[in-house]
Amino acid sequence: MRGAKILGTGRALPPRVVTNADLMKRMDTTEEWIVQRTGIRERRFVDPGTGTADLGAEAARAAVARAGIPLSGIDFLVFATLSPDYFFPGAGVFVQEKLGLPTIGALDVRTQCTGFLYGLSVAEAYVKGGFYNHVLVIGSEVQSTGLDMSTAGRDLSVLFGDGAGAVVVGPAGPGEGILSSHLHAEGKYAKELMCEGPSSIEHPRLSHEMLSAGRHWPRMNGRYVFTHAVRRFPEVIREALAANGKSIADLSIVIPHQANLRITQAVAGALNVSGEKVYSNIERYGNTTAASIPIALDECVEQGKIREGDLVCLAAFGSGFTWAATLIRW
Ligand code: ACO
């Protein structure tokens, strides 16, 4: 079977920088609380009118240009987000339209923080299996319009930011590029990190009662998420390495989903690797959910932190709960 590799990466960050001091004007919080507990100093928020598909399309254009193929060479796209422009249809078709792509398939993935890795595994399988030659995988989020910016929502609203990242996956020689993907989920914890409304269990899906109870804002059991994340990240990274007969010492870099600096540091500790081997940019962007790994990957490529032949591990944990890892020979 042929291989599949990442041919190009791209990212799109809205220009508006929102610092912790800016948030302090809107809610009862402090720079110290946010930095100590999360490592976040600033994040980007879109201006009104910019949606998840807009950011996704911008990141996708950059990835296609880096891949050195024309847009017309893309024959399938996968779009991962928890913040689609609309309840339906999914955001993938809007990106297809914005990029002027012909009638190629557009698949939306809804696994939140692991969405990009689930999407990448779809691209990997399609390319390895010969279904498609060039698959665009996009992770994009506009979180800022879905956060309670009052003090009542401060535990979650300080964490998240907007942004998008994308890659183009194309054919490679056998055993080159993406070595394997490892995907997991445990739905019994779905309600520990969720956004309840709008909900098709209710009629109407969005009601005055829902709004006044704040059930349209995300909610999280933060300690629970933390405990599971620090266990699942190292576990799935070791699983990916073992599946390929590799060890931690073989890894050049780990790019984890940027959930929280303390989680990233705990993962480095559990793997017994130096902090430099585990990439972090959460200080500048906060948690951009499905976008965080492709944004980080694009930065690492641009900064020369990933070179040809390197063994790269991408790993994620988040709402669902879902967790995943992808091992790549770059
Ligand atoms: N500013 C100031 N005070 C705050 C804020 C804030 N933004 N948010 C909460 N507090 C207060 C709380 O009200 C509480 O006050 P109290 O003691 O008077 O009741 C106090 O700070 C401590 O709150 P805790 O929730 O116990 O804080 P904790 O130390 O658990 O840290 C945090 C919270 C940072 C969310 C932590 O649980 C964590 O890191 N969880 C992981 C969750 C995560 O990273 N989620 C990201 C999304 S999921 C993902 O991507 C994997």
Side-chain angles (χ1 to χ4, degrees), residues 247-260:
S247 69
I248 305 275
D250 297 318
L251 277 175
S252 309
I253 193 164
V254 177
I255 302 180
H257 160 53
Q258 306 288 305
N260 178 317

Side-chain angles (χ1 to χ4, degrees), residues 28-29 33 37-38 113 154-155 158-160 193 220 222-223 225-226 257 259-260 262-263 287 317-318:
D28 180 14
T29 189
W33 194 99
R37 285 191 168 70
T38 72
C113 308
R154 65 183 179 176
D155 58 331
V158 300
L159 298 177
F160 294 100
L193 175 52
M220 172 178 76
R223 292 200 178 164
V225 171
F226 192 95
H257 160 53
N260 178 317
R262 288 196 315 181
I263 293 177
N287 180 337
F317 175 90

